Amino acid sequence: MLRKVIEINEEKCNGCGICVTACNEGAIQIIDGKARLINEIFCDGLGACIGECPEGAITVVEREAEPYDEIKVVEKLLNDNSIRVLQAHLEHLKDHNETTYFNQAMEYLKEKGIKVEFEDKKNTMACGCPGSMAREIKRPKIDTVEKNKEQMPSRLEQWPVQLHLVNPIASFFNDREMVIMSTCGPIVNANVHEEYIKNRSVVVACPKLDRTDPYIPKLTAIFEHNNIPKAIVVRIEVPCCGGLSYIVVEAARMSGKQNLTIEEHILSIEGELINKQILFKN
């Protein structure tokens, strides 16, 4: 049938993987360092991934394609145990007034006895990105004693820290664990120095707003030239932050380094550790 689907310009694509996390339907995967549309029946043609692509490599075109299958998308997300992604997918359909697909999904879930809760959206999202939604975080008031507490010392033992600026053969990388932290990480987590920076080397990067082309080769060189037993990716729960984990894992693979483990720590916007997993071990 003639319908809208995404098209990926391979020459522009830098393989950052941001579109993979932006596509709730699971239609995109990174293969051989490039984003690929793996199955047309999973692509709804609404283009949520377009706004996330930093290279402008994705467009929506109208061409002959297999019909989009909402039930197969829902089944895939349930099989992947991706309830939060399923929620985001359904919100995505609602935001684009795709009532036919939304009703199909809800009827299917009702038949299966699966209830999906929706967040009350009182704030609007900037640029359609869930990670840009304005929100207020309620914090307990700090009493006077707490305010007057002696300032905690910094645990940072190096400079610079921005991934673009560090030298891959800098001595502070060798013989210690490394932290690759989302730029927002130190802002959301008040204990970042004690929990992550202490006794480790650290670099910060943003997979959404930075010029990410040099990041994989830079990290590859860092892994190749130093003895780093473990690298910890500290990222935020928002979808656009997932590209950081992809960049680090690709660099680890390209380095061919032995005895290297890549661990991912996902922080909530409130600063709590909500998930920890090993992404790579060689």
Side-chain angles (χ1 to χ4, degrees):
M1 64 178 293
L2 186 68
R3 69 179 186 90
K4 292 182 178 180
V5 294
I6 65 160
E7 184 173 85
I8 302 171
N9 185 321
E10 188 171 316
E11 291 184 2
K12 289 184 178 181
C13 176
N14 65 6
C16 69
I18 295 174
C19 58
V20 176
T21 53
C23 178
N24 296 315
E25 294 70 39
I28 307 174
Q29 287 185 14
I30 301 295
I31 301 172
D32 296 331
K34 297 288 184 179
R36 316 280 183 180
L37 177 61
I38 59 165
N39 200 323
E40 293 173 348
I41 66 172
F42 295 149
C43 178
D44 58 18
L46 299 178
C49 50
I50 292 177
E52 303 295 336
C53 179
E55 302 299 322
I58 304 175
T59 54
V60 173
V61 298
E62 191 168 14
R63 63 170 174 81
E64 288 290 334
E66 290 185 68
Y68 171 75
D69 194 321
E70 176 61 29
I71 302 304
K72 280 191 167 57
V73 169
V74 174
E75 288 176 341
K76 179 181 183 300
L77 295 176
L78 290 174
N79 289 335
D80 292 343
N81 198 28
S82 303
I83 297 299
R84 292 180 69 181
V85 179
L86 176 59
Q87 289 174 325
H89 164 69
L90 294 172
E91 292 281 8
H92 172 63
L93 294 179
K94 287 176 64 179
D95 290 343
H96 287 82
N97 295 316
E98 289 290 342
T99 54
T100 300
Y101 293 150
F102 179 81
N103 291 336
Q104 286 177 2
M106 295 305 293
E107 186 62 32
Y108 177 80
L109 292 170
K110 183 179 179 181
E111 291 175 2
K112 296 292 183 181
I114 300 171
K115 188 176 180 180
V116 178
E117 301 288 342
F118 296 100
E119 291 184 8
D120 182 18
K121 290 186 177 180
K122 294 182 180 180
N123 298 299
T124 57
M125 292 186 290
C127 306
C129 172
S132 300
M133 182 187 293
R135 68 195 74 182
E136 291 185 7
I137 300 172
K138 301 297 183 182
R139 302 285 190 191
K141 290 186 178 180
I142 301 174
D143 59 29
T144 306
V145 175
E146 185 70 16
K147 281 192 226 180
N148 293 333
K149 187 194 293 185
E150 184 179 347
Q151 182 177 347
M152 294 295 292
S154 170
R155 294 296 189 175
L156 184 66
E157 298 179 5
Q158 67 179 78
W159 189 260
V161 294
Q162 215 291 331
L163 185 52
H164 277 299
L165 302 178
V166 295
N167 185 337
I169 59 173
S171 59
F172 52 70
F173 285 124
N174 201 34
D175 292 329
R176 56 169 51 189
E177 292 183 357
M178 178 183 182
V179 168
I180 300 100
M181 183 171 290
S182 155
T183 305
C184 300
I187 307 300
V188 302
N189 189 312
N191 302 314
V192 69
H193 278 253
E194 291 297 321
E195 293 181 6
Y196 291 111
I197 297 178
K198 182 180 178 180
N199 297 326
R200 295 186 176 108
S201 61
V202 59
V203 294
V204 295
C206 176
K208 182 177 176 66
L209 300 178
D210 290 356
R211 181 174 54 86
T212 59
D213 305 47
Y215 279 172
I216 291 178
K218 173 67 74 75
L219 284 168
T220 299
I222 292 172
F223 294 145
E224 285 177 342
H225 291 98
N226 299 281
N227 176 33
I228 299 173
K230 181 166 74 174
I232 304 172
V233 181
V234 183
R235 50 156 292 208
I236 313 302
E237 63 179 323
V238 296
C240 54
C241 211
L244 187 60
S245 298
Y246 166 77
I247 288 170
V248 177
V249 170
E250 280 301 296
R253 286 177 178 153
M254 290 178 66
S255 73
K257 197 73 173 182
Q258 298 297 310
N259 302 316
L260 172 62
T261 299
I262 306 296
E263 199 168 271
E264 178 188 62
H265 291 201
I266 300 179
L267 304 178
S268 70
I269 292 172
E270 290 78 16
E272 300 296 324
L273 177 64
I274 57 176
N275 191 51
K276 181 166 69 172
Q277 62 178 330
I278 293 176
L279 298 179
F280 175 89
K281 192 168 186 177
N282 197 6

